[in-house]
Amino acid sequence: MNKPINPETAPPPADDDDQRAEAPLLQIDDLVKQFTVRRGLFARARKLSAVNEISLNVRPGETFALIGESGCGKTTVGRMVTGLEKPTAGTIRYRGTEMVGRSQRVTDLRREIQMIFQDPYASLNPRLRVWESVAEPIFGFRLMPKSAARGRVEELFSLVGLRPDQMDRFPHELSGGQRQRVGIARALAADPKLIVADEPVSALDVSIQAQILNLMRKIHGQLGIAYLFISHDLSVVAHISTRIAVMYLGEIVETGETRAVLRNPQHPYTQELLASVPRRRVSDRSERVRPPKGDLPSPLDPPSGCRFHPRCRHAMPECSASAPAQREMPNGARVRCHLYD
């Protein structure tokens, strides 16, 4: 949603003692994903580092946002969590079980992790009626007899704000917002505990985005499902998330409660992201939109040290010499930046 961020309206942080003591639903440690790339038939194969040793956790029932520019690796993280991509290194634990494997235990747990895709049209089979697409997880995981599946789909349609008479339509007969509601219903059909939402509103008209976000918040409140919400839009993240991780060129540079990060961003990249969001008033030049200087480096040849240093307005000699360690800040955020050494 292209509207000003108001940190005061961000969801209150879920930081009570009981929730902090609760074991994470999803635990990611030192996750790495590299792709082999060739530029030409006889060119030497090179490694593209899409995700570089990231760590994060999602608590039961919370909305955790992963945000960054296009190409930073956030979608790759979501695909690894759902099993669509295999990590190069690192661990992904769901409810304490390592998910990088093919044991029956992992297969059973996969049902509890579902995904909402960015493009609702591309993610639906154009040859199936939409109720059949929603029923696919029910059939695939054998959750109920086929004779009962249509009734369950009708319940899901009602939950996401669709009418029963729309069940027998094909995807091209629905609007973009309606197709995304179908995608949400399909994710809910497997009775998940965690939904990875990959840019779920970026392909929709601005007028529809708020409706889908409010629907997701309503479902979160009713069912207590946790979200790993992937986005490039801080305004969207401010509306829905309780915690946030900011990603740049395959690395997480800042993590914290959404409200704290939006009120007082610590990492220079987070500050630039926040400055790029339209404001209600522009009182002086310092508040005007200032994109980071230079171009986004290639993940085939990432900068040494801090990956943001070529574009950082506060870069120092040590920024190119060594990667910064993670520091815990007074506002509770964790930041990787030499400014705080």
Side-chain angles (χ1 to χ4, degrees), residues 116-124 176 179-180 186 198-204:
I116 301 171
F117 295 91
Q118 177 178 0
D119 187 344
Y121 187 73
S123 64
L124 297 174
R179 287 194 289 263
Q180 193 59 292
R186 181 177 59 182
D198 182 18
E199 300 272 12
V201 298
S202 64
L204 305 176

Side-chain angles (χ1 to χ4, degrees), residues 71 119 194 318 333:
D119 187 344
L194 172 66
E318 55 264 40

Side-chain angles (χ1 to χ4, degrees), residues 148-315:
R150 188 176 174 92
R152 173 58 177 159
V153 172
E154 186 171 344
E155 293 175 359
L156 292 169
F157 265 52
S158 176
L159 179 62
V160 300
L162 294 173
R163 302 188 309 272
D165 63 278
Q166 295 172 313
M167 291 173 57
D168 288 309
R169 296 184 183 180
F170 290 95
H172 72 272
E173 298 177 296
L174 300 177
S175 68
Q178 290 169 340
R179 287 194 289 263
Q180 193 59 292
R181 290 174 188 268
V182 172
I184 294 171
R186 181 177 59 182
L188 294 173
D191 295 326
K193 301 294 188 296
L194 172 66
I195 288 180
V196 177
D198 182 18
E199 300 272 12
V201 298
S202 64
L204 305 176
D205 293 339
V206 173
S207 59
I208 305 299
Q209 290 183 8
Q211 296 178 23
I212 298 300
L213 289 174
N214 288 333
L215 171 63
M216 294 182 67
R217 290 187 69 175
K218 184 188 80 169
I219 291 170
H220 173 265
Q222 290 181 351
L223 304 181
I225 294 173
Y227 291 129
L228 175 58
F229 193 96
I230 298 169
S231 179
H232 69 278
D233 192 331
L234 273 172
S235 297
V236 169
V237 166
H239 185 70
I240 197 169
S241 69
T242 50
R243 286 196 301 140
I244 182 174
V246 181
M247 200 167 177
Y248 180 80
L249 207 62
E251 297 182 345
I252 291 178
V253 297
E254 184 166 359
T255 307
E257 303 289 353
T258 301
R259 185 177 295 180
V261 171
L262 295 185
R263 281 177 173 171
N264 188 19
Q266 302 294 305
H267 195 279
Y269 176 62
T270 312
Q271 295 168 2
E272 297 283 2
L273 280 182
L274 198 60
S276 69
V277 178
R279 305 281 178 161
R280 286 190 177 90
R281 298 188 190 91
V282 179
S283 58
D284 58 46
R285 288 184 176 272
S286 66
E287 290 186 348
R288 295 184 184 275
V289 174
R290 297 183 310 166
K293 65 180 183 179
D295 297 323
L296 185 69
S298 170
L300 280 170
D301 187 23
S304 61
C306 173
R307 293 190 171 189
F308 186 60
H309 85 263
R311 308 175 73 192
C312 182
R313 304 177 192 279
H314 308 285

